[in-house]
Each structure stands twice: as C-alpha cells, then as structure tokens.
Amino acid sequence: MSRSKAIRSLPPIEKAFPDWNGFPVGQSRQHYLLKALGTLAKSLRKPQPQVFYPMREVARFFGAPLRTVALVYESLEKEGVLNRIRSSQTVLAGKEN
C-alpha cells in the first residue's frame, strides 16, 4: 500500500526567500540556514501542524549539503518548531495557545 501524497499549504520556497542570492561570505552555512529557516518556520506556524519543506528541496534551493540541512532540521526539532518523520515528511509544529 502506498502512502498518500502530503498536502503542502506553504508558499513555494522560492517565494519564501525571494531575495536569496547566496550565503554571506565568512558565515557558517549551517548557522545561516538555522537562523533563516527558524525565522521562517516560526512566522508560518498556525494552530494546526502542517507539512514543512522537504530537506532535499531546501538543500537544492540553497545549494547546501543535505547533511547540513539535516543538522538544521534536527536543531529546529530540538527547539520544538519541527517534527521529523523519518523517510516520510517534516511537519511544522502547531502553535501553542
């Protein structure tokens, strides 16, 4: 039995980062991504959980190694912003009232 396709309600990543033109010189890619994705995730949170951007899509868009994106997602999961379901999807946690 195959999985059902995840319904994505977030804007395309290109629209979420319209001014993206490369990593700042001299700054860690991981630190930059953690700050950028953390800010975006917190601004997009709604009361109900929703599907977040796949790690491969983020890695492709930013031109970053998949491992770097995985470490960023792991940090955001520890902060309680994301919930990762291995080999399935990443979910943006719902807002707490």
Side-chain angles (χ1 to χ4, degrees), residues 10-25:
L10 301 179
I13 196 162
E14 296 83 13
K15 288 187 180 182
F17 294 98
D19 299 329
W20 170 251
N21 54 4
F23 289 102
V25 177

Side-chain angles (χ1 to χ4, degrees), residues 3 6-8 51 83-91:
R3 290 189 187 144
I7 298 170
R8 304 196 187 283
V51 178
N83 293 319
R84 295 180 299 160
I85 303 168
R86 186 176 175 157
S87 299
S88 180
Q89 63 186 356
T90 302
V91 177

Side-chain angles (χ1 to χ4, degrees), residues 4-63:
S4 60
K5 184 148 175 84
I7 298 170
R8 304 196 187 283
S9 60
L10 301 179
I13 196 162
E14 296 83 13
K15 288 187 180 182
F17 294 98
D19 299 329
W20 170 251
N21 54 4
F23 289 102
V25 177
Q27 186 176 2
S28 162
R29 289 180 180 199
Q30 183 177 343
H31 178 74
Y32 179 84
L33 283 175
L34 179 60
K35 185 176 173 184
L37 290 174
T39 301
L40 176 66
K42 290 172 186 172
S43 71
L44 294 173
R45 286 175 86 175
K46 294 182 179 177
Q48 297 298 319
Q50 54 188 331
V51 178
F52 197 61
Y53 302 104
M55 286 193 289
R56 291 187 189 278
E57 182 180 331
V58 171
R60 192 176 315 115
F61 176 76
F62 285 104

